[in-house]
Amino acid sequence: MSRAPTSLRPEPTEPRRRPAHDTWTAALTRWVEGLVPRGQWLPERQPVYVASWIYVFGVACLASLVVIIVSGLVLSLGGVAWWHVSTLGHFVNSVHLWSVELFFATMVIHLWGKFFMASWRGDRGLTWATGALAFFGSLGTAFTGYLIQTNFDAQWISTQAKDGLNAAGIGAWFNVMDLGQMMLWHVSLLPLVVGAIVVVHIVLVRRRGVAPPIGATEPSPPGAAAAARAAPTESPATLATRTGVEP
Amino acid sequence: MITQLLAASQPVPAGPVVQWGWLTITVANLLVILLMVVVFVLALLLPFPAPREDEDR
């Protein structure tokens, strides 16, 4: 780095600040803001084809996930046997179970809708892939949830599953008969993984925009091409959101 | 508490199943899948409520 001659440098009156671009926190901030520009994190307007019930199931799935996490946090405070001996615990456990049922039902309908819409079109392959990963991660999380019910159902499932997992050679590391290990997988490791995948999935949806139905024209607002050249980090979706597409 | 723990330890019957060749599925699971298909079809067919007419639109 070249430095100015000492004689030309001003007298320091206060400690010099490092330039913003020189810190990893500033770089991280720029990276996060580049993912979805500030002010465009949530959609204000959407293309006209989003006014359909089939576009509701993704966010319904997300809402179910929020209820799952909140009820699961409460359940974890009471312990694995709490719901057997407390009416409140039984209620919270039921909320947890039924929100999971809704989560999977809405996720699968979301998946059907996106599959028949070929939603990986328009450079949305990674959005589709992260959705699939979230689905498989959720299967594992639900499986470990069934294992920690501390009832005969959990015992039956774990004793059946152990044979398959042992045959696959992973029983020593993923021991479904170990309640403590399954508890950790269910309340800590897998939710973190699923949560991270879901965040990436949503960021990608915001960047690429929701997939249009087959045959529909994706909104291309006036001046979009010029705006895209000027601000290459903006996605077609954010441009459509900013410019607005009237139904 | 003992009564509740004893009740929790009772096995829950699996319920009726239907069988087509190699496929065996509980009636409860079959109903859930059929309900999901119905909801999927309705989501494609039912009209979405029109947006409210805001004064600034």
Side-chain angles (χ1 to χ4, degrees):
Chain A
M1 182 187 290
S2 62
R3 285 169 172 267
T6 311
S7 58
L8 297 179
R9 291 166 67 186
E11 287 294 320
T13 54
E14 59 184 35
R16 288 181 59 138
R17 289 185 177 180
R18 298 179 74 189
H21 62 269
D22 206 18
T23 62
W24 69 267
T25 49
L28 183 65
T29 304
R30 279 199 310 278
W31 181 74
V32 170
E33 287 186 349
L35 288 177
V36 179
R38 185 175 288 184
Q40 299 171 20
W41 293 346
L42 293 174
E44 293 175 0
R45 295 185 179 185
Q46 290 282 10
V48 63
Y49 45 72
V50 175
S52 163
W53 286 111
I54 201 63
Y55 280 95
V56 166
F57 291 93
V59 77
C61 182
L62 190 62
S64 306
L65 182 62
V66 172
V67 179
I68 290 170
I69 292 170
V70 172
S71 58
L73 285 172
V74 177
L75 274 179
S76 67
L77 292 175
V80 284
W82 179 47
W83 72 284
H84 293 307
V85 295
S86 157
T87 50
L88 177 63
H90 202 154
F91 173 76
V92 178
N93 186 75
S94 297
V95 169
H96 195 63
L97 169 71
W98 286 106
S99 52
V100 168
E101 301 281 349
L102 267 179
F103 175 72
F104 273 101
T106 51
M107 180 158 51
V108 169
I109 296 173
H110 178 60
L111 189 153
W112 289 343
K114 296 302 155 188
F115 175 77
F116 288 113
M117 214 182 279
S119 292
W120 46 85
R121 292 169 297 141
D123 200 21
R124 295 184 179 86
L126 203 54
T127 315
W128 170 265
T130 50
L133 276 177
F135 177 63
F136 289 116
S138 302
L139 289 182
T141 314
F143 171 62
T144 51
Y146 280 117
L147 296 177
I148 61 171
Q149 294 175 102
T150 56
N151 59 10
F152 273 135
D153 205 11
Q155 191 180 46
W156 173 261
I157 295 168
S158 59
T159 50
Q160 296 297 303
K162 75 172 169 51
D163 295 333
L165 293 167
N166 287 340
I170 59 173
W173 297 277
F174 188 77
N175 181 6
V176 291
M177 301 289 285
D178 186 337
L179 177 65
Q181 191 190 96
M182 290 305 107
M183 185 77 178
L184 274 180
W185 276 104
H186 185 71
V187 306
S188 177
L189 300 174
L190 286 170
L192 280 176
V193 171
V194 172
I197 295 170
V198 167
V199 167
V200 173
H201 184 70
I202 292 169
V203 167
L204 285 168
V205 170
R206 289 299 298 137
R207 276 189 69 84
R208 310 277 187 230
V210 292
I214 292 174
T217 307
E218 210 164 345
S220 179
R229 279 195 299 274
T233 56
E234 286 194 275
S235 68
T238 55
L239 286 171
T241 302
R242 200 158 50 79
T243 315
V245 179
E246 290 295 330
Chain B
M1 180 189 264
I2 297 296
T3 314
Q4 288 164 315
L5 283 174
L6 282 174
S9 68
Q10 295 303 308
V12 179
V17 297
V18 288
Q19 215 164 3
W20 291 290
W22 54 269
L23 178 67
T24 304
I25 187 170
T26 62
V27 172
N29 279 341
L30 183 63
L31 286 177
V32 167
I33 293 169
L34 289 176
L35 183 64
M36 286 165 59
V37 173
V38 169
V39 171
F40 177 65
V41 172
L42 287 178
L44 294 176
L45 298 180
L46 286 181
F48 196 74
R52 285 180 304 169
E53 290 296 328
D54 295 338
E55 58 274 8
D56 60 336
R57 297 187 82 177

